[in-house]
Amino acid sequence: MWRFLGGRIAMGALTIFVTTIAVTLLIHLVPGDPVQIMYAQSQGTTPEQLEEIRHNLGLDQPIYIQYVRFVGRLFQGDLGYTIRGHQPVLDVILQRLPNTIALAVAAMAVAILIGLPIGFFAAYKRGTMVDTGLMVVAIAGVSVPHFWLGLVLLLFFAVELGWLPVSGTGPLNLVLPAVTLGLSNAAIVARMTRSSMMDIMRQDFVRTAEAKGLPKSVILSRHVLRAGLIPVITMMGLQFAFMMGGAIVVENIFAWNGVGRMAVEAIFQRDYPVIQGFILTFAVVVVFVSILLDGVYALVDPRIRRS
Amino acid sequence: MAELSGAVPDYDHEIVPPGRRAHFWRRVAFTPNGAFGLAVVIVLIASAGLADLITPYSPIKMGVGPRFLPPNGAYLLGTDEFGRDLFTRIVYGSRLTLMIGAIAVGISLTVGILVGLIAAYRGGWTETILMRGTDVLFSFTETLIALACVAVLGPSLKNAMIAVGIAGIPFYARTCYSAALVERSKPYFEATIAAGAGPLRLLFLHLLPNVLPTMIVVATLGLSAAILAAAGLSFLGLGAQPPDPEWGAMLSGARDYFNRAPYLMVIPGLAIAVTVLGFNLLGDAIRTALDPREGSE
């Protein structure tokens, strides 16, 4: 088990290491002069001021020195300052990150509560019209753009019926974005659950259980569901990353004050320190959650726990 | 968005290439899913190709009609905030959508196949570096990669296509890698090495033709994810810019008027959903027709 977890942690560390390099290079990949582009929107910056900014950002140094400095500052919790407003990037991110994580977790709950039973039921009814019907619904669910679904839900529940607030950041405001993001991922969870359960149903131990005359409900709940959930747990890590990615769009629809909305604004404003901070935060959160889920997986699956 | 949409169905069964199976297309077209998917794709290609003939107005010129006219006889789907015909814009939009999908998937497919083939063929350190790198990128999700690319390149339709294309590479590389590993272990491959074939011949005349059918099936499904991802970027304002008749951008523009003219928002969204559904169902039908495990059950 420790070997398994050690491998996962090493992979996570590698991911974050690669991200720090990518983030340092990012600013140099911008076509043209990044300093001029960043300040193109603020009028009346003199060439001398641009040089000073370049020096302050360390962009006049060789790239490996920039990298070492970047990582050094990172260990001190310093992600630099925003171009607009000159605030510490870390503060700006930490202020919004809880909102994004709340959205991702709530959406994940919606996705699992809807997707898991549907997938399980479809696997149980495999090969029947019910199964086919449910899977067509799931494909349709994957196909609906969540930015559109969000707008339609907004139009209906917030504007027409007035049951929920249109935009903002608060507990009631969380409902529509979480449902939007959750519904489009429920379809993916349903498909994964179905194929995982179907794999288990083909196993010999299920046939043995059937042969010894166990009632179908016991076979399903005690044997199939428990074994079939294990692969689903591993897939949750990727699902969480999808939620974080989806949150970028959904936050923008509902004016939910999270890091995704901040990132899109930063792209428009060419605020590169914020973009760098966002990418790094995203990587750290995703890596952390996936290691956490791998830990759960290792505890739940006896084949790994005892290895 | 798969990613950006997250629309990654499971591909982990072995896919038997088309061509080796008789009446393959008949098996696809005679399932309800396949028939619907095929119909959507045909309509899409036809409307993209014949846009100039079937639309009565210009997609970009303002004031061809009154503003905010609901759907009616003269303007089939109504008019938008600038008095442009929505039907015309939707039809021209299909051209952009197909182009975006084709270019983005083309980028992902080309680079992904190269990475996958080289990793599987070379093995050793090359394999470790390429495939670990792919794993790292994969864990970022396509959304973040696409967003980072747009952040570097700047928002435009061209850059959105490149961004979505780059974001898809890890997925195609992985799929190609596992398909190439299967081919590499087959006797013909060893025989070809024994016959003295060089690396280029092995890679491009033996491995490539054998992974290509699998990759084409995957690309059909990937098209839907790419279209959804690019529409998402355009919706955020990071892709196609006004006045381009791109569906995601149109949807975004309609947000300001959704009380007054909800059809402006509903119709482009439906266009995206039906298109993506069409490619998903077609891809799914092709995969089912090729998967030996499914039909027998």
Side-chain angles (χ1 to χ4, degrees):
Chain A
M1 176 175 139
W2 294 113
R3 209 195 148 113
F4 166 79
L5 277 184
R8 292 308 162 114
I9 292 170
M11 190 63 204
L14 177 71
T15 305
I16 291 172
F17 171 67
V18 172
T19 314
T20 56
I21 295 179
V23 155
T24 316
L25 288 177
L26 180 105
I27 204 160
H28 294 278
L29 294 172
V30 177
D33 177 5
V35 176
Q36 256 176 26
I37 293 172
M38 277 189 271
Y39 284 88
Q41 288 167 12
S42 16
Q43 300 293 314
T45 319
T46 62
E48 291 76 26
Q49 280 171 313
L50 284 182
E51 267 325 300
E52 200 189 318
I53 292 157
R54 196 185 311 278
H55 181 73
N56 288 342
L57 289 172
L59 290 174
D60 50 354
Q61 302 282 329
I63 200 153
Y64 61 93
I65 293 186
Q66 287 183 35
Y67 178 71
V68 171
R69 279 191 179 178
F70 179 77
V71 173
R73 286 191 297 135
L74 205 60
F75 277 111
Q76 297 163 17
D78 179 4
L79 282 172
Y81 290 85
T82 63
I83 305 282
R84 315 271 160 247
H86 206 73
Q87 290 167 292
V89 171
L90 189 69
D91 293 357
V92 173
I93 288 175
L94 286 183
Q95 201 189 334
R96 291 171 173 79
L97 189 61
N99 291 335
T100 300
I101 291 179
L103 173 57
V105 169
M108 194 124 155
V110 173
I112 292 169
L113 285 177
I114 296 172
L116 207 95
I118 289 181
F120 186 61
F121 191 64
Y124 170 60
K125 293 271 181 190
R126 67 183 180 282
T128 65
M129 289 297 282
V130 179
D131 173 29
T132 317
L134 283 176
M135 284 306 109
V136 169
V137 172
I139 294 186
V142 176
S143 306
V144 172
H146 48 0
F147 44 91
W148 183 62
L149 181 68
L151 288 177
V152 172
L153 291 178
L154 192 67
L155 184 64
F156 193 68
F157 287 103
V159 179
E160 290 289 323
L161 296 174
W163 289 355
L164 292 160
V166 174
S167 65
T169 311
L172 256 189
N173 297 85
L174 184 58
V175 177
L176 283 181
V179 169
T180 302
L181 196 51
L183 274 183
S184 42
N185 282 278
I188 303 173
V189 173
R191 286 186 67 127
M192 292 193 313
T193 310
R194 173 178 176 268
S195 73
S196 167
M197 295 297 168
M198 277 174 56
D199 282 341
I200 302 295
M201 285 174 186
R202 286 197 199 96
Q203 304 278 322
D204 290 340
F205 70 83
V206 174
R207 200 183 315 141
T208 308
E210 276 166 4
K212 73 178 183 186
L214 281 183
K216 206 159 189 187
S217 59
V218 176
I219 298 176
L220 284 178
S221 62
R222 199 169 296 164
H223 297 279
V224 176
L225 188 62
R226 275 175 67 183
L229 280 181
I230 292 173
V232 175
I233 295 174
T234 24
M235 288 182 259
M236 291 303 170
L238 196 60
Q239 275 296 303
F240 185 81
F242 281 151
M243 298 290 174
M244 291 281 293
I248 297 171
V249 180
V250 173
E251 283 175 2
N252 275 282
I253 303 172
F254 295 97
W256 181 258
N257 195 14
V259 287
R261 189 157 157 249
M262 172 202 76
V264 173
E265 267 167 31
I267 292 179
F268 281 124
Q269 297 171 339
R270 302 291 187 144
D271 200 332
Y272 288 107
V274 176
I275 298 170
Q276 289 176 312
F278 169 74
I279 294 174
L280 206 56
T281 311
F282 192 102
V284 170
V285 171
V286 166
V287 163
F288 182 76
V289 169
S290 80
I291 290 176
L292 208 68
L293 284 168
D294 281 329
V296 173
Y297 171 61
L299 283 178
V300 170
D301 191 334
R303 284 164 298 188
I304 293 183
R305 189 174 59 219
R306 295 192 190 129
S307 67
Chain B
M1 313 199 280
E3 255 17 354
L4 297 192
S5 66
V8 185
D10 44 332
Y11 303 112
D12 38 353
H13 337 301
E14 189 194 356
I15 292 170
V16 179
R20 293 190 200 160
R21 294 212 160 205
H23 309 305
F24 163 73
W25 282 106
R26 189 180 292 170
R27 290 180 56 181
V28 170
F30 278 89
T31 59
N33 288 0
F36 179 82
L38 211 56
V40 169
V41 173
I42 289 170
V43 168
L44 203 67
I45 293 173
S47 79
L50 304 173
D52 304 315
L53 296 175
I54 54 180
T55 58
Y57 310 101
S58 151
I60 288 167
K61 204 174 146 222
M62 296 182 192
V64 297
R67 304 168 70 218
F68 296 117
L69 206 63
N72 61 68
Y75 306 96
L76 281 178
L77 299 176
T79 58
D80 69 3
E81 70 270 29
F82 296 113
R84 294 174 299 202
D85 179 40
L86 192 59
F87 173 71
T88 306
R89 284 175 65 76
I90 292 282
V91 169
Y92 274 92
S94 68
R95 198 176 265 187
L96 281 178
T97 299
L98 280 183
M99 183 182 80
I100 292 164
I103 291 177
V105 170
I107 295 172
S108 316
L109 198 60
T110 313
V111 183
I113 285 180
L114 274 179
V115 171
L117 281 186
I118 292 171
Y121 171 70
R122 286 294 299 259
W125 274 106
T126 321
E127 183 182 19
T128 311
I129 291 172
L130 284 178
M131 294 328 289
R132 287 295 132 202
T134 305
D135 286 346
V136 167
L137 284 177
F138 199 76
S139 68
F140 282 155
T141 76
E142 297 182 4
T143 316
L144 186 73
I145 302 174
L147 204 73
C149 292
V150 171
V152 167
L153 299 168
S156 78
L157 178 60
K158 190 184 93 193
N159 293 344
M161 290 191 279
I162 297 173
V164 173
I166 293 175
I169 293 172
F171 174 67
Y172 291 86
R174 263 191 175 186
T175 315
C176 177
Y177 171 71
S178 30
L181 277 187
V182 173
E183 292 304 320
R184 201 184 66 172
S185 64
K186 287 185 180 167
Y188 82 84
F189 192 74
E190 220 170 314
T192 320
I193 297 176
L200 285 179
R201 171 173 281 272
L202 282 168
L203 273 176
F204 293 108
L205 292 181
H206 296 280
L207 278 184
L208 182 63
N210 283 303
V211 299
L212 214 50
T214 309
M215 294 310 291
I216 288 169
V217 176
V218 173
T220 316
L221 283 162
L223 263 175
S224 61
I227 288 171
L228 210 48
L233 284 178
S234 296
F235 175 78
L236 290 176
L238 300 173
Q241 303 295 327
D244 276 349
E246 201 278 336
W247 296 339
M250 287 163 67
L251 192 52
S252 178
R255 274 197 285 186
D256 299 335
Y257 311 102
F258 79 17
N259 263 328
R260 190 168 173 187
Y263 60 92
L264 282 182
M265 191 186 89
V266 173
I267 291 165
L270 272 180
I272 301 173
V274 171
T275 302
V276 172
L277 182 64
F279 278 109
N280 271 337
L281 287 177
L282 181 63
D284 208 55
I286 293 177
R287 203 195 50 182
T288 312
L290 296 174
D291 187 347
R293 268 192 350 195
E294 290 270 343
S296 59
E297 255 188 287

